[in-house]
Amino acid sequence: MSKIVFISELASNEQQTWLAMLRAQLSNEDIFLPSELTDEAAKAVDIAIVANPDPAVVARFPNLVWIQSLWAGVERLLSADLSPNIKLVRLIDPTLAQSMAESVLTWTLYLQRNLPHYHLQQRQNQWRQLPNINSKNIRVSVLGAGELGLASLSLLGKLDYQLSCWTRTLKNIDNVSCYSGEQGLSDMLADTDILISLLPLTPSTQHLLNEDTLSQLPQGANVINFSRGGIVDTNGLLALLDIEHLSHAVLDVFDIEPLPQESELWQHPKITVLPHISAPTNNDSAVLIVADNIRHYRESGILPTVVDRKSGY
Ligand code: NAP
């Protein structure tokens, strides 16, 4: 009988929690940790459920048909040398998208309502009222309008921001100015007060936000990166913050995580550092989605939507 393996680099207690939840939802399945399977037994594994796994461990299973990620981003697996025949399914979860939308709104309001400045002012015993700009006069642009981008645009739309988005294929979204392509990016950046990255990290988006592109934002603009650290070239960002072309950056994701202690980003007055918390996977909803995907596959042989390896997302 086919087996399922659960592969992660999570702490042992977290791993056991996931395993117990998966086993409870998929009681007809045999779900194992890699350490519980001999190389012979590993040949019977056709599905891997993974949470940011070490690709070398994934490669131990020669007959994998597909990999179900418990995370929404799968760039680490895509860059690994896995057989192209193995299909990759990332987590698509409305609960996670809602969580990201809430984070996007939270930190957009944080910037809109000058909280970074008030925080600094308090540290200097300074009582100074800054101008308050209404949301309808703020241009918020979202890079990427997939699962997370669309949910975020929808929530931001409730507060009347002037919304734009930039995607690979041109979209048509009510009350959102849509852009694509290099010129589209330049046009959108020139018209942006708060820029939010919700792009996957792929060869085309690596360091997309660099000194050149970020300098196309108007003076005083702000940047939020909630997708992957590699989208932003940190040196370019720092250069533009230091000359006051950009006002502030909220960063939830970094090239190296946890952000190294010695990083200058920690103490930078114009950077807010978050520990990758904008949209954590919700165990309860994720397990239900993964279990449904697997049950449906067992019954019909049909895989959920798979990642397009060519475009990298
Ligand atoms: P998605 O549904 O695959 O959407 C990706 C969006 O990016 C699509 O709109 C796509 O355009 C656009 N895109 C991709 N490559 C592009 C390019 N080269 N140029 C322009 N647009 C491009 O992904 P998602 O579920 O929204 O997730 C986005 C990313 O968020 C994930 O990959 C992950 O890295 C990150 N994430 C972060 C956290 C966190 O806690 N910080 C949590 C979950 C996910 P098209 O619509 O034209 O295809």
Side-chain angles (χ1 to χ4, degrees):
M1 168 162 167
S2 303
K3 295 180 177 24
I4 297 177
V5 66
F6 175 53
I7 312 172
S8 83
E9 290 186 334
L10 298 171
S12 160
N13 59 336
E14 256 186 284
Q15 186 163 265
Q16 288 304 330
T17 304
W18 276 110
L19 202 53
M21 292 176 80
L22 288 164
R23 283 176 174 155
Q25 277 303 320
L26 290 161
S27 51
N28 293 334
E29 298 282 345
D30 290 325
I31 309 178
F32 298 93
L33 291 173
S35 57
E36 296 170 326
L37 294 164
T38 62
D39 285 348
E40 193 50 37
K43 290 183 185 158
V45 171
D46 64 341
I47 302 173
I49 301 172
V50 306
N52 198 23
D54 176 352
V57 179
V58 180
R60 260 196 67 209
F61 300 89
N63 296 319
L64 275 183
V65 176
W66 61 289
I67 299 174
Q68 167 72 63
S69 174
L70 294 173
W71 282 194
V74 288
E75 68 285 344
R76 188 174 176 201
L77 275 172
L78 281 169
S79 62
D81 190 20
L82 295 177
S83 157
N85 297 328
I86 303 175
K87 306 291 185 213
L88 196 51
V89 176
R90 65 192 193 90
L91 181 68
I92 298 180
D93 181 354
T95 305
L96 184 134
Q98 172 70 17
S99 175
M100 179 59 88
E102 288 170 5
S103 286
V104 162
L105 181 59
T106 301
W107 298 99
T108 298
L109 284 165
Y110 166 82
L111 295 167
Q112 176 192 341
R113 300 303 299 257
N114 298 311
L115 297 194
H117 296 276
Y118 288 125
H119 179 63
L120 286 179
Q121 285 186 193
Q122 181 179 347
R123 296 215 313 231
Q124 297 159 357
N125 299 13
Q126 235 186 67
W127 183 278
R128 188 158 70 94
Q129 290 159 351
L130 300 168
N132 184 34
I133 304 175
N134 193 277
S135 56
K136 70 174 188 295
N137 296 319
I138 297 191
R139 300 164 295 177
V140 180
S141 298
V142 180
L143 296 164
E147 302 296 329
L148 307 185
L150 283 176
S152 301
L153 285 163
S154 163
L155 190 56
L156 289 167
K158 297 193 197 304
L159 264 81
D160 282 345
Y161 291 105
Q162 295 175 32
L163 296 176
S164 298
C165 76
W166 183 75
T167 49
R168 199 167 56 86
T169 54
L170 190 61
K171 302 276 178 274
N172 183 356
I173 307 171
D174 281 352
N175 302 317
V176 178
S177 305
C178 297
Y179 298 86
S180 70
E182 213 175 314
Q183 186 57 49
L185 180 62
S186 293
D187 293 345
M188 185 179 84
L189 291 175
D191 245 352
T192 295
D193 299 308
I194 299 177
L195 179 70
I196 301 167
S197 172
L198 291 176
L199 289 169
L201 183 60
T202 70
S204 331
T205 62
Q206 170 89 27
H207 283 188
L208 178 83
L209 299 182
N210 51 44
E211 191 166 354
D212 174 41
T213 47
L214 290 173
S215 65
Q216 296 173 41
L217 288 162
Q219 171 130 33
N222 299 279
V223 175
I224 297 177
N225 185 11
F226 280 173
S227 55
R228 285 294 181 262
I231 308 277
V232 175
D233 168 23
T234 307
N235 290 334
L237 174 69
L238 286 172
L240 292 168
L241 287 166
D242 289 347
I243 61 166
E244 301 196 342
H245 181 76
L246 296 178
S247 282
H248 200 84
V250 179
L251 306 176
D252 183 47
V253 283
F254 303 89
D255 289 326
I256 303 173
E257 294 181 10
L259 183 64
Q261 283 300 312
E262 63 277 13
S263 169
E264 62 190 302
L265 302 182
W266 285 111
Q267 301 304 332
H268 198 294
K270 293 180 184 160
I271 291 183
T272 298
V273 170
L274 300 172
H276 201 138
I277 43 80
S278 50
T281 293
N282 176 296
N283 294 35
D284 295 326
S285 58
V287 162
L288 293 181
I289 287 164
V290 167
D292 267 357
N293 284 350
I294 291 174
R295 268 194 296 271
H296 188 244
Y297 172 73
R298 291 287 190 230
E299 285 159 17
S300 66
I302 297 170
L303 284 167
T305 305
V306 301
V307 172
D308 174 5
R309 282 174 184 259
K310 215 162 127 229
S311 60
Y313 68 100

